[in-house]
Amino acid sequence: MAEIRLKNVCKRWGSFIGVDNFDLVIPDQEFLVLLGPSGCGKTTTMRMIAGLEDPTEGEIWIDDREVTTLDPKDRDVAMVFQSYGLYPNMDVYQNIRFPLKVRKVPEAEHDARVRKAAEMVELTEFLHRKPAALSGGQRQRVALARAIVREPQVFLMDEPLSNLDAKLRVSTRAQIKNLSHELKVTTIYVTHDQIEAMTLADRVVVMKAGVVQQVGTPTDIYDRPANTFVAGFIGNPAMNLMEGQIDSGTFRGRNVEISGLNAGAGKVSLGFRAEDAAVTTAGQGQINAPVYTMELLGDATMVTVRAGNALVAVKASKDYRAEIGDQVGISVPPEICHPFHAETGARLD
């Protein structure tokens, strides 16, 4: 059982700010994902929780214990890294068992705990293999089992799927999701992959340049992004964003006119999701422009047009066909639109 509290945590190196004023409560058993591009501060935040980095300012609490200055071994957290960190001279059984020996757990408990952890990640038949004889996915599962066997208060996972190919990422992601449900341990997971974040998290923290941009459930962040950075980072494809002017509830830009908006007058960035709009006949949409490119996705066709300086993507049916350069219309209902401040990028409604 572990609630984690980060109180105004900062990390600076000279004038460079790695993490700025991170303030958050992570309830017991929550699966929290720190999401953002490289260099945004997500791994630094995790390393401070683990005790591998000291915060410049602020406090870190696990339950009713302040751990800000404690050594990693005294925090009762287990980490799973991007690099598996396995001992090549040890077999799978010995690798999983190693944390129990280090922590001086009574030897009578070792075998049962190792086999239970191995069973949870489907490694029972590989216990006597060396890491060199395992696939990448199997090695990552050994790293997971080595964390599970400790029965820690907190799991910390730093981009554990980055070294796996696309198919293995999907299956291992499902395994982590299932393990989280079974183990019911507070988990903090770092990734730059928004699909991992959306599928795994109870809540997501989106970060940019050391600053938290938005905290919320995957649905919250997808449906109501707090600013243009979050809108452009979450979603595949990312939210369409167009520059223009709103006057009397009508947004106007090059090749674009959308009426019925509930937003004040002035310059804005207007966003909408590709799956919320529809392709229609040329001249009959709120956007009318030539096809820039077409992508067949199997379950849908992605149609992209150029509206002013913006490329606007819309999902059409899987059997929709058009040629590059053909004029098309795009129907954009006003209720699906997201207005953002042109200068700050902050959400306006």
Side-chain angles (χ1 to χ4, degrees):
M1 304 289 283
E3 176 187 86
I4 301 171
R5 283 169 287 155
L6 292 92
K7 299 183 177 180
N8 306 112
V9 172
C10 300
K11 181 64 179 179
R12 292 190 294 270
W13 293 272
S15 60
F16 177 77
I17 299 174
V19 177
D20 189 21
N21 198 34
F22 196 111
D23 192 71
L24 188 68
V25 175
I26 305 164
D28 178 46
Q29 300 185 20
E30 181 172 66
F31 196 116
L32 184 87
V33 173
L34 303 179
L35 173 68
S38 297
C40 73
K42 55 190 186 296
T43 295
T44 301
T45 301
M46 173 178 282
R47 288 175 63 83
M48 288 190 287
I49 296 169
L52 302 176
E53 296 274 2
D54 294 324
T56 310
E57 295 174 20
E59 299 174 0
I60 299 170
W61 290 71
I62 298 179
D63 283 338
D64 56 356
R65 196 168 60 124
E66 186 181 356
V67 300
T68 315
T69 58
L70 291 184
D71 290 337
K73 65 182 176 62
D74 299 322
R75 299 192 185 202
D76 197 15
V77 302
M79 285 196 75
V80 179
F81 295 96
Q82 178 179 348
S83 58
Y84 317 123
L86 305 181
Y87 298 102
N89 59 317
M90 296 182 183
D91 62 21
V92 169
Y93 185 98
Q94 293 167 324
N95 266 284
I96 297 173
R97 182 189 181 195
F98 189 75
L100 301 178
K101 295 174 69 176
V102 170
R103 297 178 73 82
K104 296 183 170 54
V105 173
E107 283 200 26
E109 298 179 24
H110 288 198
D111 188 66
R113 285 174 65 168
V114 169
R115 292 184 183 280
K116 180 183 176 184
E119 184 180 357
M120 292 184 82
V121 295
E122 300 174 12
L123 282 173
T124 304
E125 61 186 283
F126 302 102
L127 286 174
H128 298 296
R129 286 195 190 181
K130 295 285 181 68
L134 301 175
S135 68
Q138 289 165 341
R139 291 178 198 176
Q140 190 56 272
R141 280 151 51 197
V142 176
L144 284 169
R146 191 173 54 188
I148 291 166
V149 79
R150 282 189 48 191
E151 299 177 359
Q153 280 189 298
V154 178
F155 281 125
L156 303 175
M157 300 188 182
D158 188 9
E159 306 217 31
L161 308 185
S162 293
N163 289 341
L164 305 182
D165 63 38
K167 187 176 180 181
L168 268 177
R169 275 202 301 273
V170 172
S171 59
T172 311
R173 189 170 72 217
Q175 196 159 41
I176 289 173
K177 181 81 171 178
N178 185 264
L179 279 173
S180 171
H181 176 75
E182 285 188 39
L183 296 169
K184 294 180 169 52
V185 175
T186 309
T187 303
I188 301 174
Y189 186 104
V190 162
T191 183
H192 63 274
D193 185 328
Q194 51 99 8
I195 295 176
E196 282 180 28
M198 298 294 283
T199 53
L200 288 172
D202 295 320
R203 280 193 305 164
V204 180
V205 178
V206 184
M207 299 181 70
K208 175 190 176 187
V211 178
V212 173
Q213 303 293 306
Q214 187 172 0
V215 181
T217 66
T219 301
D220 291 339
I221 287 175
Y222 190 84
D223 289 346
R224 288 187 61 81
N227 54 43
T228 51
F229 174 78
V230 178
F233 196 78
I234 298 292
N236 185 25
M239 183 178 284
N240 297 302
L241 292 168
M242 304 173 295
E243 304 295 323
Q245 185 95 13
I246 289 183
D247 184 31
S248 300
T250 297
F251 173 85
R252 291 182 176 86
R254 189 175 169 190
N255 300 334
V256 183
E257 184 172 316
I258 303 172
S259 300
L261 297 169
N262 184 22
K267 288 185 177 179
V268 298
S269 292
L270 196 71
F272 66 89
R273 297 277 181 201
E275 64 270 23
D276 292 335
V279 179
T280 187
T281 306
Q284 295 186 8
Q286 283 76 16
I287 300 174
N288 293 283
V291 173
Y292 180 80
T293 189
M294 292 244 314
E295 299 168 271
L296 306 181
L297 306 179
D299 62 336
T301 302
M302 191 71 71
V303 181
T304 303
V305 303
R306 183 181 288 281
N309 294 325
L311 291 177
V312 175
V314 182
K315 280 189 177 178
S317 65
K318 64 182 181 181
D319 55 357
Y320 179 85
R321 296 291 181 269
E323 299 294 329
I324 291 176
D326 287 354
Q327 288 287 329
V328 297
I330 296 175
S331 173
V332 187
E335 61 270 16
I336 72 166
C337 294
H338 304 256
F340 301 96
H341 193 282
E343 300 297 330
T344 67
R347 189 179 188 91
L348 291 174
D349 64 353

